[in-house]
Amino acid sequence: MDGNGRWAQARGLPRTMGHRRGVDAVHGAVRAAGDLGIRYLTLFAFSSENWRRPAQEVTELMGLLKLFIRRDLAELHREGVRVKVIGARDNLASDIRGLLEEAEHLTRDNKETTLVIAFNYGAREELARATRRIADKIALGEASPEDVTPEFMDSHMDTAGIPDPDLIIRTSGEMRLSNFLLWQSAYSEFVFMPCLWPDFDRKAFEDALNEYSSRDRRYGGLSREIAS
Ligand code: FPP
């Protein structure tokens, strides 16, 4: 969800206004995902590197997440959305941790779209967390080094049980992954769009999906036409 700051700056507004409009785009994207039959939607809401931003901006982003959960959780629940949060919890304020846990707990049995919120998330940190979980099991004799397969790694990531992303969309014209789902994106398709996140509407979402449908996913094999 990149480009909130630039969206605001282009209008002579403070960056925080861009984040507020970014939350409106989040609502639109969650609704569109449900309508379009997308079962898993992951939003990169706050990275482990975003703590380096000015304190006022960090406070604003924390406040927007709290507001989103307090104000919209009931509606998400009514619509059958299951909320799952990935990222580190230990260095978050206890009220945010509590809200994230409440959102996950309340919606845990919902069966429509799963909304994965990557909050205080960094892929390298996630890989280190998974490695520590596995190392602890080995130290306790609950697993052996031979057990460590890609599937075993999968089941120790924050995303355990969530399928790898088919498509990763990055807005604002930046063309890099910025520490997002490094392990899970091995065979993802990427769509980089010039539009800034607050302008990401249903049309932009559908454009990205149309681009995705034209891709030939080979997973290291041959394309269907050549193989047949
Ligand atoms: C990137 O734009 C956006 C973020 C770092 C924060 C996104 C967070 C929200 C929209 C609010 C909370 C999330 C939820 C799920 C309710 P940028 O600031 O890096 O933009 P720039 O590159 O133009 O400066």
Side-chain angles (χ1 to χ4, degrees), residues 43-60:
L43 299 173
F44 200 177
F46 190 86
S47 80
S48 30
E49 288 77 28
N50 285 153
W51 294 104
R52 294 184 198 142
R53 296 194 175 202
Q56 191 211 352
E57 186 169 338
V58 170
T59 306
E60 171 77 13

Side-chain angles (χ1 to χ4, degrees), residues 5 33 39 45 60 94 119 187 193:
R39 305 296 312 279
E60 171 77 13
S94 60
F119 198 80
Y187 284 102
M193 309 185 82

